[in-house]
Amino acid sequence: MSVTSFLNRLNSLLLISMASLLISFTVQAAEYEEGKDYILVANPGIPSVPGKIEVREFFWYGCSHCYSLQGYLIDWKKNLSADVNFVTTPAVAETAGHWKLLGTAYFAAESLGVAEKSHDALFDYIHRDHNRVATPEDAADFYVQYGVSKEDFLNQMRSFTVKTELRKAEALFRQYQLEGTPSIVVNGKYIPVSRSFPEMMRIVDFLIEKERREGFSPSN
């Protein structure tokens, strides 16, 4: 084969490869549709960390669907990009008073520095091990295994700091017009809609990439 023939063949292969990539990108870009696979937030929020694309999960420890989602989230977070900030927020709403106790417990644990290491364990404690957390004392009994005293935990549950965080969480839940758990909001703009959790996480990835393509910046 002559050099000219080789170069012509190489150019043809490159063109085919580029065309295949373009087709693949086009299919991926059209994979999910607004109004069908995700909805726009009517009143967008501001990401909590400037310069990062926020993925915020609203959960309730008593929700079996939230418990099921945790396994997918654990795997998904293993490959979290540096430009993505994942946030967990307990769902708090005036119309669901039973959410408040466990939301209060989460923020108390967060303020005491034990929320991250106890988060998955509390889901297991309730759903796998079938324990009830129906009172502040029940919650405190669970968290003592993480090195905080029962008295300190109960005091923190009643603290101004925790009450402030609860109000913020309730305001966000209302702002995003959420109706249940689990719910995920991407960058304060999009809510993925799916009947399966694997598909939900693929939609989340699609929306993250959508933000990147559209040149997300803190001022957007």
Side-chain angles (χ1 to χ4, degrees):
M1 180 184 298
S2 68
V3 173
T4 301
S5 298
F6 174 77
L7 290 175
N8 288 337
R9 184 175 180 183
L10 181 60
N11 285 334
S12 297
L13 289 172
L14 286 172
L15 287 172
I16 292 171
S17 178
M18 290 176 65
S20 298
L21 287 172
L22 181 60
I23 291 170
S24 175
F25 177 80
T26 302
V27 169
Q28 183 180 6
E31 183 178 355
Y32 298 114
E33 300 176 12
E34 178 189 333
K36 177 184 176 184
D37 303 300
Y38 64 92
I39 60 176
L40 288 176
V41 173
N43 187 15
I46 300 173
S48 57
V49 176
K52 290 199 173 188
I53 299 170
E54 180 177 279
V55 176
R56 185 181 292 267
E57 176 210 13
F58 288 85
F59 72 95
W60 176 49
Y61 282 119
C63 168
S64 60
H65 296 299
C66 297
Y67 179 53
S68 297
L69 176 60
Q70 292 311 299
Y72 297 99
L73 284 174
I74 290 170
D75 288 340
W76 179 80
K77 287 187 290 185
K78 290 176 182 177
N79 299 310
L80 202 63
S81 299
D83 64 340
V84 177
N85 179 44
F86 180 76
V87 185
T88 52
T89 302
V92 183
E94 291 179 351
T95 55
H98 55 292
W99 289 353
K100 189 173 182 179
L101 170 66
L102 290 169
T104 302
Y106 174 85
F107 284 125
E110 187 176 60
S111 64
L112 291 168
V114 297
E116 185 173 352
K117 60 184 177 182
S118 63
H119 184 63
D120 296 330
L122 183 51
F123 270 116
D124 286 339
Y125 182 76
I126 293 172
H127 296 280
R128 185 193 65 196
D129 304 332
H130 308 293
N131 291 297
R132 282 175 55 81
V133 181
T135 67
E137 288 73 19
D138 290 341
D141 286 339
F142 168 80
Y143 282 102
V144 292
Q145 66 186 297
Y146 293 96
V148 297
S149 72
K150 185 171 182 176
E151 182 181 4
D152 285 346
F153 194 85
L154 290 171
N155 286 337
Q156 199 61 39
M157 289 184 74
R158 296 187 290 265
S159 71
F160 175 78
T161 298
V162 167
K163 290 177 181 177
T164 299
E165 292 303 316
L166 282 169
R167 285 195 293 270
K168 290 179 182 178
E170 183 176 351
L172 272 181
F173 194 85
R174 187 169 56 249
Q175 176 179 345
Y176 294 144
Q177 299 180 349
L178 302 176
E179 297 180 353
T181 57
S183 292
I184 293 179
V185 181
V186 178
N187 225 28
K189 297 179 180 181
Y190 312 105
I191 301 172
V193 179
S194 176
R195 293 183 180 181
S196 75
F197 293 136
E199 187 73 6
M200 177 184 284
M201 299 317 299
R202 286 193 288 270
I203 297 172
V204 168
D205 286 335
F206 168 82
L207 293 170
I208 290 171
E209 189 57 38
K210 175 178 170 65
E211 284 292 273
R212 290 185 181 127
R213 290 198 307 270
E214 294 178 357
F216 167 73
S217 71
S219 59
N220 282 1

